[in-house]
Amino acid sequence: MQRMNRWGVLALFMTLAGLPAMARADVPAGYRLAQTLVTQEGSSLQVLEDQRISAQLHKDSWGSGLDEDSFDEPGDLVENPLREAQVRLVSASGAVIAHKDLGYPLAKVKKAALNGQPEPVYFLTIDQTAPMGSYSGPATQLLLPAKRQLEPVGYQDADGKFKPLILASTGKAAWKVSTPAGGGADELLQVSSFMDGDGDDDFATRYQTYRWVGGQWHGASTQKAGYWDTESDFPARTAFP
């Protein structure tokens, strides 16, 4: 008999013991299964979206915002607003291990190509783009399904406080994975520009670095006067702490 993974064994034990089994991974009414990504452990990360959002509409709307003009029958959205996307972790045996509502209609997951991590890391990106403005956009968090299921990864800041690690992609913010010149675990670099004063030209730019040290992420940041947006090149590594 093919060996089961731990989630399959758990589901089988609960069934044989007469205990309530975990919910089966049926697609809820009004949703479509937008994405399935099999993890290294054999479980699956699934993204569910409103069934009115086709795969093509998801692609066309990503990063630009969904509004009533995106749909052939916009009047339906008045009485039936778009359902928020969901992410869930499903065992190899088809049981829902964990589930989370995401607050926005569009989302996607992918394997994170991060060197130096003890567990496989996945990026969950939720499209928070508003129809207008340059301060909103996709927001990415890190997941460790084998260890933390769908609980997002956090980091420790310079003051010792723990905060959620969220990477923003907007008209005035961008991030990238960076490999240190001296070797070691990959780092995450985030640049963001924002108003910092009363004048129209009063901007500041923040440079943040997230490093994997001692089994957890640590954050460091520096801020300088000046403006940056995504029409500019990503800053040189020397701009980051």
Side-chain angles (χ1 to χ4, degrees), residues 71-227:
F71 296 86
D72 295 333
E73 298 181 4
D76 178 55
L77 299 181
V78 177
E79 295 184 2
N80 301 289
L82 287 174
R83 299 169 178 85
E84 59 189 285
Q86 301 177 3
V87 63
R88 63 186 186 181
L89 182 63
V90 179
S91 73
S93 64
V96 178
I97 301 165
H99 163 275
K100 179 181 288 186
D101 296 323
L102 300 179
Y104 294 84
L106 302 178
K108 60 185 177 183
V109 290
K110 74 172 184 177
K111 179 77 179 294
L114 288 175
N115 296 319
Q117 294 295 303
E119 303 280 352
V121 181
Y122 295 82
F123 288 142
L124 168 63
T125 303
I126 305 166
D127 191 357
Q128 302 180 5
T129 307
M132 297 182 64
S134 59
Y135 286 99
S136 66
T140 298
Q141 56 187 250
L142 280 62
L143 300 180
L144 294 172
K147 187 175 182 180
R148 299 165 59 96
Q149 297 183 5
L150 299 180
E151 181 183 355
V153 171
Y155 74 97
Q156 187 177 27
D157 68 10
D159 296 327
K161 297 179 180 178
F162 285 91
K163 300 178 179 179
L165 203 171
I166 305 294
L167 301 165
S169 298
T170 73
K172 295 182 176 66
W175 64 276
K176 65 182 292 187
V177 176
S178 176
T179 300
D186 284 346
E187 301 171 339
L188 299 170
L189 306 180
Q190 170 84 71
V191 58
S192 56
S193 187
F194 52 91
M195 291 290 295
D196 188 37
D198 297 330
D200 292 339
D201 298 325
D202 293 334
F203 278 88
T205 299
R206 180 176 295 123
Y207 304 88
Q208 297 169 277
T209 302
Y210 301 99
R211 295 183 177 89
W212 178 260
V213 180
Q216 68 180 32
W217 289 96
H218 294 261
S221 67
T222 186
Q223 182 174 313
K224 298 178 182 179
Y227 177 81

